[in-house]
């Protein structure tokens, strides 16, 4: 009987557990509603891609690098001609580079002689990986389904491995947080540029090729690889660095290394210091590929906790706050809301601190967006729900009582009629 009473109390619409569940469901529903109101567009752009883990990654992460990339060199191709790029590839190959990657798609028309020289250089470099872009018919579709490959130097008899240079969230105002080792393209699959280079460099072709889920990119606050402009490489500065048995990655870093004005092929990352209202992307695409390569070579990954944990934490936080509020309000109604707001602030600080500690110490990423929303909105949602639920509950109880009375009356009348019928 005591168990039945407890269950009946939990099912009561105004019970604390019931209201906490409603708060969690409402917050989850609100998070799925797309904001498409014109006057809220600036707010949507500023907050759409914000996550609380960005604060930890960009502000709280120690400046000292977790890993030092001694096996990786980036060559900035800038606006170099294909003839110069071919010469630079030859120099890196002859200097003993173990793997060469080209984060560029040569899709525009060029001088035929330069084209042939670049193709012959690529074909004579067995350890080179060329970049390709995966395309889909609807570029603005969030659920991207790639349908075909776009490769440079088409029809030129290029004999090379290809790796796609697509980055998750690479459209405007989106942050590149995750990386797909392999992407489906129609009936076939395409490995990413970073994965292809990793396999050429290490010879390990099985570890990540069948990885089912996107991998969270572990950025560092410092770039620990060596970068050089292509002009320096062509002028003989290759002697200043050792590329033997290393990965040499050709890509765009602006007109020159240190160019902060160019926004071409730059993306937002979790290292952006201005995560709300940011004005410019913070990292070039080739640097993101280098970061992913570094992460693979050092096996330095972040384990992402499933999203249902966020929902469960939000439910628990809502229950704690509502229980505290109701207990305090019974004793001192005038201080109930004030003390509850203080408790909310304490819980918010605690949740964020736990998330930061798990990320920095254990490489464990806890999603807390829904938890924080539940913590902030639970009191307001509960106040609105309590008034509505109490009214509806009373009406339902009254309807049930009326129905029971009517049914009992019908039963009595039927019994009397059956007794009046002669045997």
């Amino acid at each position: 009987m005591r168990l039945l009473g407890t269950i009946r109390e939990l099912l009561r619409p105004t019970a604390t557990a019931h209201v906490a569940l409603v708060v969690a469901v409402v917050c989850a529903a609100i998070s799925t509603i797309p904001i498409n109101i014109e006057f809220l567009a600036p707010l949507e752009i500023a907050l759409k891609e914000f996550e609380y883990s960005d604060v930890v990654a960009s502000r709280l992460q120690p400046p000292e690098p977790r890993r030092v990339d001694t096996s990786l060199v980036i060559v900035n191709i800038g606006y170099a001609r294909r003839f110069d790029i071919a010469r630079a590839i030859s120099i890196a190959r002859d200097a003993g580079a173990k793997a060469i990657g080209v984060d560029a798609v040569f899709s525009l028309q060029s001088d035929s002689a330069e084209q042939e020289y670049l193709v012959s250089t690529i074909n004579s470099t067995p350890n080179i990986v060329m970049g390709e872009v995966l395309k889909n018919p609807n570029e603005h579709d969030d659920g991207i389904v790639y349908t075909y490959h776009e490769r440079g130097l088409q029809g030129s008899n290029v004999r090379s491995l290809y790796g796609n240079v697509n980055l998750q969230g690479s459209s405007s105002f989106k942050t590149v947080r995750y990386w797909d080792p392999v992407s489906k393209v129609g009936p076939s699959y395409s490995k990413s540029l970073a994965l292809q280079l990793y396999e050429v460099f290490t010879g390990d072709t099985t570890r990540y090729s069948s990885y089912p889920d996107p991998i969270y990119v572990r950025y560092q606050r410092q770039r620990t690889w060596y970068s050089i402009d292509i002009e320096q490489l062509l002028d003989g500065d290759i002697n200043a660095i050792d590329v033997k048995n290393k990965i040499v990655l050709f890509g765009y870093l602006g007109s020159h290394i240190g160019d902060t004005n160019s926004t071409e092929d730059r993306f937002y990352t979790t290292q952006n210091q201005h995560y709300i209202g940011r004005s410019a992307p913070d990292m070039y695409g080739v640097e993101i590929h280098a970061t992913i390569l570094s992460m693979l070579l050092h096996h330095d990954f972040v384990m992402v906790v499933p999203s249902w944990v966020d929902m469960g934490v939000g439910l628990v936080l809502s229950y704690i706050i509502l229980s505290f509020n109701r207990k305090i309000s019974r004793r001192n109604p005038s201080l109930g809301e004030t003390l509850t707001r203080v408790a909310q602030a304490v819980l918010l600080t605690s949740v964020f601190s736990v998330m930061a500690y798990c990320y920095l110490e254990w490489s464990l990423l806890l999603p807390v967006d829904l938890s924080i929303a539940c913590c902030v909105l639970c009191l307001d949602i509960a106040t609105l729900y309590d008034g509505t639920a109490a009214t509806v509950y009373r009406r339902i109880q009254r309807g049930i009582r009326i129905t029971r009375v009517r049914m009992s009356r019908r039963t009595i009348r039927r019994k009397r009629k059956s007794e009046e019928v002669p045997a």
Side-chain angles (χ1 to χ4, degrees):
M1 294 299 293
R2 182 176 298 177
L3 179 61
L4 291 176
T6 303
I7 295 175
R8 190 179 296 112
E9 174 63 22
L10 292 175
L11 294 177
R12 187 168 56 86
T14 55
T16 304
H18 198 141
V19 178
L21 180 61
V22 170
V23 169
V25 172
V26 169
C27 289
I30 291 175
S31 66
T32 62
I33 299 175
I35 303 175
N36 197 22
I37 305 175
E38 187 174 352
F39 71 88
L40 289 179
L43 180 64
E44 177 187 10
I45 291 173
L47 297 178
K48 184 177 182 180
E49 284 299 308
F50 170 73
E51 290 186 7
Y52 291 96
S53 58
D54 296 347
V55 182
V56 180
S58 61
R59 298 283 184 175
L60 303 181
Q61 192 169 216
E64 298 79 16
R66 292 172 53 87
R67 53 187 185 260
V68 178
D69 304 299
T70 58
S71 301
L72 184 61
V73 177
I74 296 181
V75 177
N76 176 32
I77 61 176
Y79 299 101
R81 298 163 49 202
R82 299 185 186 190
F83 180 78
D84 292 332
I85 294 174
R87 285 178 55 207
I89 292 173
S90 299
I91 292 172
R93 178 195 62 206
D94 296 340
K98 192 172 182 179
I100 298 174
V102 181
D103 178 22
V105 178
F106 303 93
S107 56
L108 300 178
Q109 294 294 328
S110 178
D111 180 76
S112 59
E114 289 193 0
Q115 182 97 334
E116 291 177 4
Y117 181 59
L118 178 58
V119 171
S120 64
T121 302
I122 293 171
N123 290 340
S124 61
T125 307
N127 57 345
I128 193 171
V129 180
M130 299 297 296
E132 67 174 0
V133 178
L134 307 183
K135 293 288 189 178
N136 64 297
N138 186 1
E139 294 290 346
H140 300 287
D141 186 7
D142 290 334
I144 295 177
V145 178
Y146 300 117
T147 56
Y148 65 96
H149 309 253
E150 181 180 295
R151 293 175 174 175
L153 308 173
Q154 291 281 16
S156 303
N157 298 319
V158 176
R159 297 185 298 274
S160 167
L161 290 174
Y162 277 91
N164 74 76
V165 297
N166 295 61
L167 296 170
Q168 280 201 357
S170 58
S171 60
S172 299
F173 302 109
K174 288 192 174 182
T175 302
V176 180
R177 292 191 180 88
Y178 294 90
W179 163 68
D180 286 312
V182 179
S183 300
K184 194 173 188 304
V185 190
S188 63
Y189 292 87
S190 170
K191 294 181 181 180
S192 72
L193 178 66
L195 179 59
Q196 288 280 33
L197 285 171
Y198 171 81
E199 292 181 353
V200 170
F201 184 74
T202 63
D204 182 1
T205 60
T206 59
R207 177 171 297 191
Y208 304 108
S209 296
S210 59
Y211 205 80
D213 301 317
I215 297 176
Y216 190 86
V217 181
R218 186 63 180 268
Y219 294 98
Q220 297 193 120
R221 294 182 65 180
Q222 290 185 20
R223 278 77 154 169
T224 58
W225 50 77
Y226 190 86
S227 302
I228 185 173
D229 284 314
I230 192 170
E231 292 80 10
Q232 296 175 273
L233 185 64
L234 297 174
D235 291 341
D237 280 4
I238 189 66
N239 298 322
I241 57 174
D242 180 18
V243 299
K244 187 175 182 180
N245 295 325
K246 295 184 180 181
I247 300 173
V248 179
L249 187 56
F250 291 85
Y252 180 78
L253 292 174
S255 59
H256 59 275
I257 292 177
D259 181 9
T260 58
N261 296 321
S262 176
T263 58
E264 185 179 353
D265 198 37
R266 289 180 72 181
F267 304 94
Y268 292 113
T269 72
T270 58
Q271 292 301 294
N272 199 309
Q273 296 292 307
H274 307 284
Y275 25 79
I276 296 181
R278 51 197 171 191
S279 58
D282 56 288
M283 189 174 285
Y284 287 102
V286 68
E287 293 180 303
I288 297 179
H289 295 304
T291 300
I292 296 169
L293 258 173
S294 172
M295 185 177 66
L296 294 175
L297 293 172
H298 293 269
H299 305 291
D300 184 21
F301 299 101
V302 174
M303 186 173 68
V304 182
V305 175
S307 57
W308 59 264
V309 175
D310 190 17
M311 182 74 170
V313 173
L315 179 61
V316 172
L317 292 177
S318 300
Y319 181 80
I320 292 173
I321 292 173
L322 293 176
S323 299
F324 179 80
N325 176 258
R326 293 185 175 186
K327 187 173 182 179
I328 295 297
S329 297
R330 291 192 195 101
R331 297 182 178 181
N332 194 334
S334 61
L335 292 178
E337 184 172 354
T338 302
L339 294 179
T340 303
R341 298 299 182 187
V342 174
Q344 283 178 305
V346 172
L347 282 177
L348 283 173
T349 305
S350 302
V351 168
F352 186 80
S353 299
V354 170
M355 186 267 287
Y357 183 83
C358 291
Y359 182 86
L360 297 175
E361 296 297 328
W362 300 334
S363 296
L364 186 67
L365 181 61
L366 298 174
V368 295
D369 299 79
L370 185 57
S371 303
I372 290 178
C374 291
C375 192
V376 172
L377 299 176
C378 68
L379 194 58
D380 301 296
I381 295 176
T383 302
L384 180 63
Y385 175 77
D386 278 342
T388 305
T391 303
V392 173
Y393 183 64
R394 284 195 299 268
R395 290 183 179 179
I396 292 175
Q397 291 294 327
R398 183 172 177 272
I400 292 175
R401 287 196 298 270
I402 293 174
T403 303
R404 286 177 177 174
V405 171
R406 289 177 179 175
M407 291 180 64
S408 63
R409 288 177 179 176
R410 289 175 185 174
T411 303
I412 292 173
R413 283 198 297 268
R414 289 174 183 172
K415 186 176 181 180
R416 287 177 179 176
K417 288 182 179 180
S418 63
E419 292 176 349
E420 291 175 357
V421 176

